[in-house]
Amino acid sequence: MILVGFVGLIVAASAAGAGYVRNPLRTQVGFVQHQTVPFSHKHHVRDDGIDCRYCHTGVETGADAGLPPTHTCMTCHSQIWTDAPVLAPVRESYATGKPLKWNRVAQLPDYVFFDHHVHVDNGVACVECHGRVDKMPLTWRAKPFTMQFCLDCHQSPAKALRPPDMVTRMDWSGFDKAALKTYGAQAAAHKGLDPKRLTNCETCHR
Ligand code: HEC
Ligand code: HEC
Ligand code: HEC
Ligand code: HEC
Ligand code: HEC
């Protein structure tokens, strides 16, 4: 009885552990982040058609996508919605030069190395890692940024590739499934993508 109980305890404990790793409380998937200024990607991206790169200027050139400085907001909001109370903190930030503070949604622990431009320039779309941002009235984390999430793609990267000029399109469907598969396989072969190198610990932990 004691032995059976003990084995049961181990099974229960490891199940709880596995559950913890995939638990949304830890991975933060789906949790809406509240902001001082209720910035809506749904309005700006989907309704107004502004490209991601207008605000996240680093995605094609650097490790960080970057968050927009206040003057990017003011290129439009010095002309439209100029008196809106929701935009008061934006105007104040512009007047005082003190940057807006955004509560972060997508962040990795410091010991993980990540680089946007190697992904974006090679045809891995924003939607693969950030979900349908164009449907978010307030931004939330769409994918669990666990190690397994990264490895799942690094083990077979071909299926995640599309033409690089389409990476910011949230609902892109330019190719059918078969054509996309062929494209991915050819692009991966052309670049010499090697799952062995991409899953090497040093790729992400340097
Ligand atoms: C290229 C033009 C443009 C830029 C740049 C821009 N906005 Fe807007 N914004 C708009 C338009 C147009 C609206 C009108 C709302 C709509 O589309 O329903 C708007 C509306 C808003 C609203 C009102 C609530 C809402 O979403 O409807 C907030 C808050 C806002 N913007 C914040 C910001 C912030 C913060 C920035 C900078 C990070 C910014 N905007 C940059 C065009 C812009
Ligand atoms: C008009 C400017 C603007 C445009 C266009 C825009 N964003 Fe943003 N984005 C912001 C601002 C401001 C924040 C910070 C507030 C927030 O999290 O909503 C942000 C935050 C984010 C975050 C969360 C970052 C973090 O760690 O907190 C992601 C992911 C993101 N944007 C992806 C995208 C994608 C993908 C697109 C294109 C489909 C896009 N954005 C287009 C202004 C913009
Ligand atoms: C392969 C996955 C992946 C792709 C593709 C990707 N991102 Fe990210 N993004 C991340 C990760 C992971 C982080 C957190 C990075 C960190 O904390 O070091 C992040 C962070 C961000 C942030 C927060 C600010 C920053 O620079 O850390 C923004 C904004 C953002 N991404 C926008 C975008 C946009 C826009 C695209 C498409 C042009 C995109 N991302 C494509 C995984 C991705
Ligand atoms: C949807 C697919 C996908 C996801 C998810 C993804 N990656 Fe990648 N990653 C790629 C591809 C494809 C490359 C190879 C790009 C190239 O070199 O052409 C790459 C390359 C890299 C590189 C550069 C490797 C090198 O030395 O050339 C790093 C670092 C990296 N990824 C880290 C991460 C991390 C950390 C995560 C998880 C937060 C992640 N990636 C999630 C597809 C993905
Ligand atoms: C493609 C990127 C990538 C590769 C390759 C990778 N890791 Fe990770 N690793 C991550 C990410 C992302 C996290 C953060 C997970 C989190 O916060 O939940 C992480 C977390 C960890 C942790 C912290 C404990 C944990 O699980 O949360 C350890 C230890 C670790 N990795 C070891 C390794 C070893 C050993 C290898 C090689 C066999 C490796 N990693 C390869 C992306 C990677």
Side-chain angles (χ1 to χ4, degrees):
M1 280 268 286
I2 290 171
L3 210 65
V4 170
F6 190 63
V7 171
L9 205 69
I10 293 176
V11 171
S14 49
Y20 174 72
V21 170
R22 291 184 202 101
N23 188 327
L25 271 179
R26 197 182 91 88
T27 60
Q28 294 169 19
V29 169
F31 283 90
V32 174
Q33 189 63 271
H34 288 276
Q35 309 284 2
T36 328
V37 180
F39 177 81
S40 166
H41 281 91
K42 186 168 173 285
H43 282 157
H44 290 87
V45 175
R46 194 164 70 174
D47 302 346
D48 302 335
I50 311 173
D51 190 270
C52 316
R53 290 164 290 195
Y54 187 86
C55 291
H56 303 299
T57 51
V59 277
E60 290 176 315
T61 50
D64 294 331
L67 294 176
T70 305
H71 80 76
T72 304
C73 312
M74 289 307 272
T75 53
C76 293
H77 289 298
S78 59
Q79 331 262 340
I80 48 169
W81 284 51
T82 48
D83 296 322
V86 283
L87 285 163
V90 179
R91 293 189 295 270
E92 193 187 311
S93 158
Y94 194 59
T96 59
K98 235 179 99 191
L100 287 164
K101 196 189 163 301
W102 300 107
N103 293 318
R104 294 291 307 274
V105 175
Q107 227 170 358
L108 288 172
D110 284 345
Y111 59 83
V112 185
F113 175 79
F114 182 77
D115 189 315
H116 272 94
H117 91 286
V118 290
H119 291 95
V120 171
D121 296 352
N122 284 298
V124 183
C126 317
V127 70
E128 299 277 353
C129 300
H130 297 302
R132 289 297 297 265
V133 173
D134 63 327
K135 291 185 174 172
M136 300 180 186
L138 283 173
T139 316
W140 63 78
R141 188 185 287 194
K143 301 284 165 92
F145 283 173
T146 55
M147 184 155 125
Q148 197 55 48
F149 167 72
C150 311
L151 290 175
D152 279 347
C153 185
H154 280 203
Q155 267 148 9
S156 48
K159 62 178 190 293
L161 302 179
R162 60 164 83 174
D165 52 340
M166 294 294 146
V167 286
T168 60
R169 296 273 285 275
M170 294 269 109
D171 57 355
W172 183 72
S173 56
F175 293 164
D176 62 30
K177 264 215 170 88
L180 192 62
K181 207 169 155 198
T182 314
Y183 174 85
Q186 283 171 352
H190 177 71
K191 292 178 207 300
L193 293 190
D194 174 10
K196 246 214 230 90
R197 185 176 59 81
L198 288 176
T199 53
N200 190 319
C201 314
E202 270 128 59
T203 299
C204 304
H205 305 295
R206 306 186 170 182

